[in-house]
């Protein structure tokens, strides 16, 4: 349930009807006919998912806050660290360029260059 709906539902006793409740999905009237405990076997998976979701959200918040205040240095040879975007991390260095060192020219395209073996 969305929080507004769940809060209103928790306040009701069996036989009661809520005042209008507004959520992101519209307006609702909630009537509680009865309340019965659910067997643990039926709710174990839902409890596990809720706890894991809360833990992951809390851990994500912790990491974001830690990253904001962190000073991270990377050897420039391996790139740089970027805090921007959804996935902060190491951005690799740009590709190396090969300098023009001269050498034989004039071979037709696709043909190997002649090699002088000194003979």
């Amino acid at each position: 349930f969305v929080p507004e709906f769940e809060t209103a539902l928790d306040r009701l006793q069996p036989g009661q009807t809520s005042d209008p409740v507004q959520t992101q999905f519209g307006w609702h009237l909630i009537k509680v006919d009865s309340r019965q405990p659910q067997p643990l076997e039926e709710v174990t998976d839902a409890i596990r998912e809720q706890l894991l979701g809360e833990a992951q959200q809390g851990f994500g918040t912790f990491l974001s806050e830690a990253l904001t205040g962190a000073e991270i240095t990377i050897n420039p040879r391996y790139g740089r660290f970027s805090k921007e975007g959804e996935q902060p991390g190491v951005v690799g260095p740009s590709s190396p360029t090969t300098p023009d060192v001269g050498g034989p020219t004039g071979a037709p395209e696709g043909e190997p260059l002649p090699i002088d073996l000194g003979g």
Side-chain angles (χ1 to χ4, degrees):
F1 296 120
V2 292
E4 302 88 354
F5 194 96
E6 190 166 2
T7 300
L9 181 63
D10 288 344
R11 291 182 184 153
L12 297 174
Q13 296 300 316
Q16 289 184 318
T17 302
S18 71
D19 291 331
V21 177
Q22 184 178 16
T23 72
Q24 66 192 38
F25 302 106
W27 288 91
H28 312 274
L29 290 176
I30 306 166
K31 181 178 180 186
V32 176
D33 291 326
S34 65
R35 291 189 181 265
Q36 299 173 355
Q38 292 178 296
L40 183 59
E41 299 80 31
E42 290 182 16
V43 294
T44 301
D45 289 339
I47 292 170
R48 181 178 291 115
E49 286 180 29
Q50 182 177 353
L51 292 174
L52 287 174
E54 291 172 3
Q56 287 174 344
Q57 183 179 3
F59 186 65
T61 301
F62 165 77
L63 285 178
S64 294
E65 290 171 0
L67 181 61
T68 300
E71 183 178 325
I72 301 168
T73 56
I74 304 290
N75 184 327
R77 178 172 152 190
Y78 301 108
R80 62 180 176 76
F81 191 85
S82 173
K83 293 183 181 183
E84 291 131 24
E86 250 181 68
Q87 295 291 329
V90 177
V91 176
S94 57
S95 300
T97 57
T98 307
D100 184 10
V101 293
T105 59
E109 192 169 326
E111 295 287 323
L113 297 173
I115 299 176
D116 180 11
L117 298 176

